[in-house]
Amino acid sequence: MPDRYAVIGHPIAHSKSPLIHGLFAQATGQTMTYEAIDGGAAEGGFARALAAFRAAGGQGMNVTLPFKLQALAAATQASDDARLAGAANALRFDGDRIEARNFDGIGLVRDIEVNLGVPLKGRRVLLLGAGGATRGAVLPIARAGAARIAIANRTAAKADELAHELAPHLGGVPLAGGGFDALAGEAPFHVVINATSASLGGQAPAVPPAAFAPGALAYDMVYGKGLTPFLKLAQAAGAARVADGVGMLVEQAAEAFAWWRGVRPDTREALTRLTVPLV
């Protein structure tokens, strides 16, 4: 019998995870299945689906919106990344144990450094938004050796609160939070990451053009939307490179696959299959 894995979310029909993990399994010779499970909108849907999948012999799950917080709450053991993010995007089952990890930020850093060839060590990094995506990214970016991290959010107090919460865990890497207007007093940033959902609505966050250093990388976590308003803004501001989040999606999947199966797959074929030109 092949080992069983799945991704759970709502909605889930659009998920690329079955394709990605199917490619990984084929490339690494793993005997496994991978399915998409819709946890539904009803209260308790996630818990019921999780219990049913485990009872049927499931060994691990990826977790996407809106169940990442519930996934962490269901865990009996969680990594530092998951606890600081306040959310889990991968689960592994071992008897009565449910282990939780959050690979989103790790996948983001690997995409930026390996696939895009932009080292974060010594760089000034700006994260736009103070939600779960930013929470999951700050610690991996600090581990990569960023010189300074800033969080800018429409509600300044939320960004400031998040910065104060996370700063003690970053090994001395400076972290500041505030509103978009506070960026006027900051030196420009080498990497600017849009972790808001603005691109889904065809909008751009109110980041000033001066926030982009000459030669900056602008990265939008949203993927498959082409040249988003944020990326267009960045280009107009002089950013040398722009990228969307498809590489983050693939790399976080590879991290989960390696955690489950003990072998890290080559991600190039999945990236080639999923990458859409930014035009």
Side-chain angles (χ1 to χ4, degrees), residues 176-193:
F180 290 111
D181 56 346
L183 295 173
E186 285 267 9
F189 294 86
H190 305 106
V191 178
V192 181
I193 301 167

Side-chain angles (χ1 to χ4, degrees), residues 110-118 217 219 241-244:
R110 185 171 176 87
D111 187 35
I112 290 173
E113 294 200 315
V114 177
N115 299 330
L116 300 177
V118 177
L217 166 68
Y219 192 104
R241 299 185 66 184
V242 296
D244 71 1

Side-chain angles (χ1 to χ4, degrees), residues 1 48 55 63 88 105 109 112 125 144 153 157 179 186 203 252 261:
M1 291 287 291
R48 288 191 293 271
V63 184
V109 168
I112 290 173
V125 180
N153 190 59
E186 285 267 9
Q203 299 177 324
Q252 65 81 26
R261 307 302 296 177

Side-chain angles (χ1 to χ4, degrees), residues 99-139:
E99 301 176 68
R101 299 280 181 94
N102 190 313
F103 293 117
D104 285 334
I106 297 169
L108 168 69
V109 168
R110 185 171 176 87
D111 187 35
I112 290 173
E113 294 200 315
V114 177
N115 299 330
L116 300 177
V118 177
L120 292 173
K121 185 175 179 61
R123 304 295 179 97
R124 294 171 52 84
V125 180
L126 171 61
L127 285 154
L128 307 177
T134 290
R135 290 187 70 100
V138 169
L139 182 58

